[in-house]
Amino acid sequence: MTRSLEQSTLAPGLILGAGVEIPDDAEIDPYVTIHSGVVLGANVKIGQGAILGRPQRLDANSRSPWRPDGEPTVIGADCIIGSGVVVVAGARVGERSLLADCSLVREGAVVGDEVMVGRGALVSHSTVVGNGTRIQNDAIVSRGARVAENVMIGPRVVILSNTTVGHDHRRQSSPGVRICRRARIGTGAILCPPAEIGEEAVVGAGALVRKDVPARTVVVGAPARFLRNVRDDELLDETD
């Protein structure tokens, strides 16, 4: 299905799909493209060159599921969308969230309220990211991951969806990585499915996690191993 795009006079170089409505208080930088089906909340800010609601595109050998055409793409009120951001059709981004420059949110992803997705980070298809979570620069959150509220994911963390480099087709239906609320994942860590990271657990920088990490546990190394328990004074405060 061809989706018509037309030049708009609302901002320099702005390209809009049919039926897109721009809130009166939106701030839109030059050369933004917004496809049909995008719903923008009030007071959104959209950086230069961002593409919202881009149609799904899969290579010939992809095993990713096709999404129905015309799915709405929702950008919540007070969101900040950085320059060069791509949000694929069918994704949903909650209120007051920030998608930093050059980040990618794929089809079917659900990003909660007050989430930060860092520069160059990927939130892949069919993932869920809870309210208040922070995903730092260049992190990869792969297919099917479930990330709860107020999680911290450090720079260059890789959350895998498959440990066979795609060779074992049967593994495509395996559960994704689950990260429970207020867990902290250190820089460069690699998490393999179907591992679950428990509530308030800490994964050290560069760790390779291949099995569950219990709540309030610190693990380090490759493969990850128990280091100690999280002390009471290290727990995240309710207001953090």
Side-chain angles (χ1 to χ4, degrees), residues 179-216:
I179 305 178
C180 298
R181 60 197 296 269
R182 300 185 181 179
R184 286 159 277 181
I185 315 299
T187 300
I190 300 174
L191 310 184
C192 301
E196 176 177 301
I197 313 301
E199 186 170 330
E200 294 273 11
V202 176
V203 174
L208 173 62
V209 178
R210 303 182 64 181
K211 58 183 180 180
D212 293 352
V213 177
R216 294 188 61 171

Side-chain angles (χ1 to χ4, degrees), residues 28-226:
I28 302 179
D29 288 349
Y31 307 111
V32 167
T33 300
I34 305 176
H35 289 264
S36 295
V38 173
V39 179
L40 298 176
N43 197 37
V44 296
K45 298 175 176 59
I46 306 174
Q48 184 167 334
I51 303 173
L52 305 182
R54 194 206 71 192
Q56 183 187 44
R57 295 172 182 167
L58 301 176
D59 69 271
N61 296 315
S62 175
R63 295 193 296 274
S64 298
W66 281 102
R67 308 284 301 193
D69 196 64
E71 280 190 298
T73 306
V74 178
I75 307 296
D78 299 301
C79 279
I80 300 174
I81 308 299
S83 297
V85 167
V86 176
V87 179
V88 181
R92 294 176 175 267
V93 180
E95 297 182 355
R96 299 178 301 281
S97 289
L98 166 65
L99 307 182
D101 297 348
C102 301
S103 56
L104 168 62
V105 178
R106 285 192 57 186
E107 62 274 18
V110 178
V111 176
D113 297 339
E114 298 182 1
V115 171
M116 193 282 290
V117 178
R119 187 188 188 283
L122 163 66
V123 178
S124 193
H125 69 83
S126 309
T127 61
V128 176
V129 179
N131 297 342
T133 284
R134 301 183 69 79
I135 301 171
Q136 301 290 339
N137 296 352
D138 300 314
I140 297 174
V141 182
S142 293
R143 172 190 59 84
R146 295 292 183 268
V147 182
E149 298 81 13
N150 298 306
V151 169
M152 173 68 75
I153 296 175
R156 298 186 299 282
V157 166
V158 177
I159 300 174
L160 297 172
S161 63
N162 185 292
T163 58
T164 67
V165 199
H167 286 181
D168 187 347
H169 291 221
R170 295 169 298 179
R171 296 293 291 276
Q172 281 298 102
S173 60
S174 65
V177 170
R178 181 183 178 193
I179 305 178
C180 298
R181 60 197 296 269
R182 300 185 181 179
R184 286 159 277 181
I185 315 299
T187 300
I190 300 174
L191 310 184
C192 301
E196 176 177 301
I197 313 301
E199 186 170 330
E200 294 273 11
V202 176
V203 174
L208 173 62
V209 178
R210 303 182 64 181
K211 58 183 180 180
D212 293 352
V213 177
R216 294 188 61 171
T217 296
V218 180
V219 298
V220 297
R225 64 189 184 278
F226 173 82

Side-chain angles (χ1 to χ4, degrees), residues 5-26:
L5 292 169
E6 295 184 357
Q7 188 88 29
S8 170
T9 59
L10 296 176
L14 174 62
I15 304 295
L16 291 182
V20 174
E21 297 185 4
I22 304 298
D24 292 339
D25 54 2

